[in-house]
Each structure stands twice: as C-alpha cells, then as structure tokens.
C-alpha cells in the first residue's frame, strides 16, 4: 500500500481523494459551479446574500483610508482582543486576560488548523461528531492523527452517551465539538456537554470547541462548554465575525482559553498567516460591542427565514428536521422516492434551479451510508429568495421516475 504524502492525507481527511489517490474538488465548489452554470438559487454554501451592518463596514473602509494596511500584531490588535474578552464577559460570564487568553486568527478555520497541529501528534486519536465540518478531517489527517467519529442521528442529531463513551479513550488527545452544529443544525444541551467534559477529564483529553454559530440559536440556549465545571483548563474555544455579522469574507476569528493553551495555538498560528485583516480588526471590535438587541434580533430574523424554507421543504414532500441553530436545515429526500441525495444534488441545479449539499460528504464511508438520503440547505438568504426556492423545490415530486 502506498504511503500518502501530507497533502494527500489532508485531501483524504476531507473526503477529496479517490480510492486511486486522484484529487477531487470540494462538494461546495462543485455544487456552486453547477449553480452558477444553470442560474440556480444556491442554498448549498453557507454565505449570506445580504451585507452586514453598514456602519461596521464603514469603519473598515475608513481604516483602509487611514493607512491601516500593514501587518497587524501577530496576536491581533489589542483593541480587538479586548473586545473579544468583553464579549465573553457580557454573554458568557467569563473573565479573560486579553493579553494572554485571546488570540485573533484568520477566521475560525485557521484556529482549527493551529489548534490541531499544536497538540495532535502522529497516532493520537481525535474524536469528532459525524457529520463533521470538513476542516476537522483535513487537519486531523495532516497532523497524522487518527480520526474517530460519534454519529449524530435524526431526528434530534444528539450523540448517544454510551456510544460516545465507547469512542473516547486514553488514546484520545482531543475532542472537537461544533456547537451549534454544522451541518445538522443541532444545539447540544447541558447534559451532553457535561458528559463530554467528564470524558475529557477521565481520559485527560483537550476540548476544541468551535462555536462560530454561538449567537444563531432559535429558542434554545447556547452553553459554551468552557463555562462548565472542570472544562476551563482544558478547552480552547473558537468563534468568528463571519457568521454573526454576515462578513464571511473578512476572515476574522479568535481563540480563547487558558494562557498555556492559547500560547501553543498562537505559536503555530504565527507560522500559518502570522496576521491578517488589519483594517477589519477595528470594525470587528466595534461589531462585538453592538447592543445586545442586535444579536437577539439577528437570530430571530434568521430563525424566521429558516421557517420559510422549512415550510417549503415540508410542502415539497420531504421529511424536515428543523434546526435549533446555525444557517442550515437538513431534510430527507427519501419520501420523494430519491435514495441518494448526492446524485440528486448534482442534478437539481439544472432540473429545478436550486442547489443543496448532500449530508454524506460530511461523513466517513459508514456515516455516508447512514445519511445517504439527507440533504443540507442554507437559509441565510433573503426572504424573497427562500420563497422562490420553495416554489422551485415543489417541482421535485414531478422528477420521480422521470
């Protein structure tokens, strides 16, 4: 058996390498290309089709005009690190030292890579929940780690405690938690989080908690795992400005946690991007200081848009699993007579003018079989776009047997 090079391991970890080691493109690139080719409504990739707050964007524009265009400090601007610490105190009751317990990253994606590369050695096991965000698989593979998964099953997409206990062991170096969860839209409750912390303590594992959708929950509370008893000393928490403020292209994220873990992450991070987004950092600092009503209002509006799409998917004949958070909703296309959501996803842009992402691409082979008929749709779009997408989706039932 051939030995894979680091880049091949990375591709394989993100399900981009075929059995004969041929490189493919991400499903997001593939489906977006099809959507663009056929003029389809793209509900596949999770980016908003509206701009973030104009006043925040003006701060970035002014910063560019004022010459804030050279390297930012490697740890991030002092004001943004302070704003992150203030945010954690305001919303989660955490007291952080902005100089030692906060680091600014090039989006949460860089934070994921830096954390995994900082702590995971060849042969170490890393546990994620499945379906999993593809960056987790890619960086675990790049580090030489062994990726273990715990399934999240419909309808509530919560982990089975016994199964989780059977996967986490003394070989586990890190548990990666994505809460609220992409792609399922699940939000893990206190009992689940406490079980994760107990297992991490028992087996001396670190927790990497990706909380980029922390403000986007619908009728349920988001609980940062780092606030639970016993978790603080072993948890790194990631978040970013992209999802909360609809500035996904700015790629401004942050990691918080105890000083010794942040220092390790920062050490690796400085040899990835070193720093980025100097003009965006003061804008994000101002965004983090927006009134609380902005955050609750945005979540309420997003939830209402999600219900528009959920209703449309219901009326189209799918089984719909309404999300508790994130940008995404999962639906089962099996009631329409389709057994493979991946095949359907590749034909939908041309046939009905709507794009979605099959859930199977977020899974290892066994998980892909388990989720074969499930599809993820993004509802971070304008209301009129979602209404039109729902109208087009109603035509799916006409395609069965066509």
């Amino acid at each position: 058996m051939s030995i894979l090079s680091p880049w091949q391991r990375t591709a394989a970890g993100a399900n981009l390498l075929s059995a004969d080691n041929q490189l493919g493109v991400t499903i997001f690139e593939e489906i977006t290309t099809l959507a663009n080719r056929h003029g389809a409504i793209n509900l596949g990739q999770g980016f908003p089709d509206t701009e973030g707050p104009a006043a925040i964007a003006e701060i970035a524009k002014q910063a560019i005009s004022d010459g804030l265009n050279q390297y930012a400090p490697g740890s991030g601007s002092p004001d943004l690190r302070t704003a992150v610490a203030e945010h954690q105190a305001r919303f989660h009751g955490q007291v952080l030292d902005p100089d030692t317990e906060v680091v600014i990253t090039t989006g949460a994606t860089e934070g994921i890579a830096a954390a995994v590369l900082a702590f995971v050695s060849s042969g170490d096991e890393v546990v994620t929940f499945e379906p999993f965000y593809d960056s987790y698989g890619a960086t675990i593979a790049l580090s030489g780690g062994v990726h273990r998964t715990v399934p999240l099953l419909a309808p509530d997409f919560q982990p089975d405690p016994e199964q989780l206990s059977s996967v986490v062991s003394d070989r586990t170096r890190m548990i990666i938690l994505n809460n609220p969860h992409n792609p399922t839209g699940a939000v893990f409750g206190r009992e689940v989080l406490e079980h994760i912390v107990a297992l991490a303590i028992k087996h001396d594992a670190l927790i990497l908690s990706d909380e980029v959708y922390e403000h986007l929950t619908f009728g349920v509370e988001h609980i940062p795992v780092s606030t639970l008893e016993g978790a603080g000393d072993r948890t790194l928490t990631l978040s970013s400005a992209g999802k909360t403020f609809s500035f996904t292209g700015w790629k401004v994220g942050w990691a918080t946690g105890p000083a010794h873990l942040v220092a390790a992450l920062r050490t690796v991070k400085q040899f990835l991007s070193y720093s980025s987004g100097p003009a965006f950092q003061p804008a994000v600092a101002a965004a983090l200081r927006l009134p609380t009503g902005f955050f609750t209002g945005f979540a309420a509006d997003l939830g209402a848009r999600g219900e528009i799409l959920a209703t449309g998917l219901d009326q189209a004949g799918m089984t719909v699993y309404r999300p508790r958070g994130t940008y995404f909703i999962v639906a089962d296309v099996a009631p329409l007579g389709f057994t493979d959501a991946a095949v359907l996803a590749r034909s939908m842009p041309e046939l009905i003018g709507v794009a979605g992402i099959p859930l199977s691409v977020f899974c290892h082979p066994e998980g892909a079989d388990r989720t074969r008929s499930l599809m993820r749709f993004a509802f971070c779009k304008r209301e009129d776009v979602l209404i039109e997408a729902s109208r087009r989706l109603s035509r799916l039932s006409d395609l069965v047997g066509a």
Side-chain angles (χ1 to χ4, degrees):
M1 184 172 64
S2 62
I3 298 176
L4 298 182
S5 63
W7 75 265
Q8 289 174 314
R9 291 203 311 269
T10 304
N15 298 327
L16 294 181
L17 208 64
S18 66
D20 58 353
N21 294 339
Q22 294 301 304
L23 180 65
V25 298
T26 69
I27 190 69
F28 307 105
E29 182 177 350
E30 181 183 0
I31 296 299
T32 294
T33 297
L34 289 171
N36 291 338
R37 180 182 303 160
H38 298 290
I41 296 173
N42 190 354
L43 304 184
Q45 201 162 0
F47 59 85
D49 60 359
T50 56
E51 292 296 321
I56 301 302
E58 285 299 323
I59 293 172
K61 293 176 186 178
Q62 189 60 50
I64 292 172
S65 298
D66 291 345
L68 201 61
N69 301 306
Q70 308 308 321
Y71 294 124
S75 294
S77 72
D79 186 50
L80 178 52
R81 284 186 276 116
T82 298
V84 169
E86 292 169 353
H87 169 276
Q88 295 304 101
R90 173 163 55 136
F91 288 102
H92 308 312
Q94 293 179 303
V95 178
L96 298 174
D97 182 341
D99 293 328
T100 62
E101 296 178 319
V102 180
V103 62
I104 305 306
T105 60
T106 305
T109 306
E110 184 187 47
I112 294 164
V116 173
L117 293 173
F119 294 106
V120 177
S121 299
S122 180
D124 286 344
E125 293 190 359
V126 181
V127 175
T128 74
F129 297 93
E130 187 180 57
F132 56 85
Y133 180 50
D134 54 1
S135 285
Y136 306 151
T139 53
I140 292 166
L142 179 61
S143 72
V146 178
H147 188 181
R148 303 288 306 278
T149 61
V150 177
L152 302 178
L153 303 178
D156 59 0
F157 298 108
Q158 299 291 310
D160 177 77
E162 292 185 5
Q163 192 160 22
L164 177 57
S165 296
S166 72
V167 172
V168 179
S169 71
D170 288 344
R171 296 183 298 276
T172 303
R173 177 58 174 148
M174 179 181 286
I175 301 169
I176 300 181
L177 173 65
N178 179 207
N179 183 41
H181 183 263
N182 172 20
T184 67
V187 175
F188 295 156
R190 183 175 297 274
E191 187 174 342
V192 170
L193 297 175
E194 287 176 344
H195 187 56
I196 292 169
V197 173
L199 289 172
I201 293 171
K202 177 181 178 180
H203 298 289
D204 194 24
L206 299 175
I207 299 172
L208 179 63
S209 189
D210 178 351
E211 302 182 13
V212 297
Y213 296 99
E214 61 184 311
H215 288 292
L216 306 183
T217 62
F218 317 125
V220 294
E221 178 188 12
H222 166 67
I223 303 171
V225 69
S226 60
T227 63
L228 300 184
E229 185 177 356
D233 289 342
R234 63 180 63 246
T235 301
L236 280 166
T237 301
L238 306 175
S239 194
S240 77
K243 303 302 190 292
T244 299
F245 304 112
S246 300
F247 290 123
T248 59
W250 286 12
K251 298 297 290 181
V252 177
W254 49 88
T256 61
H260 67 287
L261 296 184
V262 169
L265 185 153
R266 184 176 60 242
T267 299
V268 174
K269 174 261 185 303
Q270 68 182 338
F271 298 109
L272 297 176
S273 68
Y274 179 68
S275 70
S276 59
F280 297 136
Q281 292 194 27
V284 173
L288 287 170
R289 293 173 173 131
L290 286 170
T292 301
F294 167 83
F295 298 88
T296 56
F298 182 62
D301 175 68
L302 184 66
R305 284 182 278 154
E307 186 55 33
I308 291 172
L309 182 58
T311 300
L313 294 169
D314 269 332
Q315 293 175 347
M318 301 183 197
T319 299
V320 180
Y321 304 108
R322 280 169 167 76
R324 310 302 297 274
T326 77
Y327 279 172
F328 306 110
I329 189 167
V330 173
D332 193 337
V333 300
L336 292 171
F338 298 102
T339 59
D340 193 329
V343 173
L344 179 61
R346 290 180 170 96
S347 61
M348 276 173 41
E350 180 178 7
L351 293 176
I352 65 167
V354 178
I357 298 290
L359 218 64
S360 59
V361 302
F362 300 97
C363 301
H364 288 155
E366 183 179 343
D369 289 338
R370 194 167 48 238
T371 59
R372 189 161 302 281
S373 64
L374 301 182
M375 191 175 296
R376 187 196 79 171
F377 298 92
F379 53 84
C380 48
K381 311 297 179 181
R382 300 190 315 272
E383 181 176 329
D384 61 304
V385 172
L386 296 171
I387 291 171
E388 173 60 19
S390 297
R391 185 191 69 78
R392 296 182 187 186
L393 284 162
S394 68
R395 294 163 46 200
L396 272 177
S397 59
D398 299 332
L399 301 178
V400 181

